Amino acid sequence: MRKLIFVIFSLGIFASLGFSQTTASYKTDFQFWNDTQFIVPLTKAKDWNFAFTIVGRFGNDLHTTVDARIGGIISKKVNSHVTVAGGYFYRYSNPTFVRMRNESRYVGFATFTFPLGHKFTMVLRPQVQYEN
């Protein structure tokens, strides 16, 4: 009986502690994302390409840069179903508007396309990434 009273008393204490926490006021935010790519074929057959990418995310009601990325990727089309690529991205982020972070990202990926009948195609794009 003492154990039951102790458990009920403990649950009551823990429940009251949970309800006594104050909640932060929710602030709305307007954000804008932009992703721009410039793709340049490196050969006449267009099997080698270079893609220059700029990504921007602006938040805090468009007053602060939340995420910005710039980089490039070189890709090689192996055949009609396989493309391999690798590249580098520089990333600046400030999602909390308090602590900024800079990092370099080295990426590699392959793109596999599988036709599914006459109307549909499945695309598989595994990717590896190293950050420092």
Side-chain angles (χ1 to χ4, degrees):
M1 183 68 176
R2 289 183 185 179
K3 289 182 182 179
L4 181 62
I5 293 173
F6 176 74
V7 170
I8 292 173
F9 181 73
S10 298
L11 289 175
I13 293 292
F14 290 130
S16 66
L17 291 175
F19 286 117
S20 67
Q21 299 293 319
T22 59
T23 58
S25 62
Y26 180 73
K27 179 182 175 260
T28 61
D29 186 15
F30 180 73
Q31 294 192 356
F32 174 76
W33 282 80
N34 185 35
D35 186 351
T36 304
Q37 283 190 341
F38 299 100
I39 300 173
V40 179
L42 300 176
T43 61
K44 287 190 179 199
K46 296 183 180 179
D47 56 345
W48 284 93
N49 293 309
F50 177 76
F52 177 72
T53 304
I54 301 171
V55 178
R57 175 180 160 202
F58 307 96
N60 196 15
D61 293 329
L62 302 180
H63 296 298
T64 308
T65 302
V66 177
D67 191 343
R69 304 171 193 197
I70 188 167
I73 296 173
I74 294 179
S75 64
K76 165 71 171 138
K77 187 169 188 168
V78 178
N79 58 37
S80 62
H81 300 290
V82 179
T83 302
V84 294
Y88 169 81
F89 286 98
Y90 172 78
R91 179 177 182 245
Y92 162 83
S93 65
N94 188 11
T96 60
F97 311 121
V98 177
R99 183 174 159 233
M100 296 178 282
R101 181 174 178 187
N102 300 315
E103 61 188 37
S104 295
R105 292 184 175 185
Y106 303 92
V107 295
F109 56 88
T111 303
F112 303 97
T113 58
F114 304 99
L116 302 174
H118 297 291
K119 294 184 179 182
F120 300 100
T121 302
M122 181 176 75
V123 177
L124 176 65
R125 188 175 173 199
Q127 179 174 335
V128 295
Q129 176 174 292
Y130 173 76
E131 300 176 10
N132 67 353

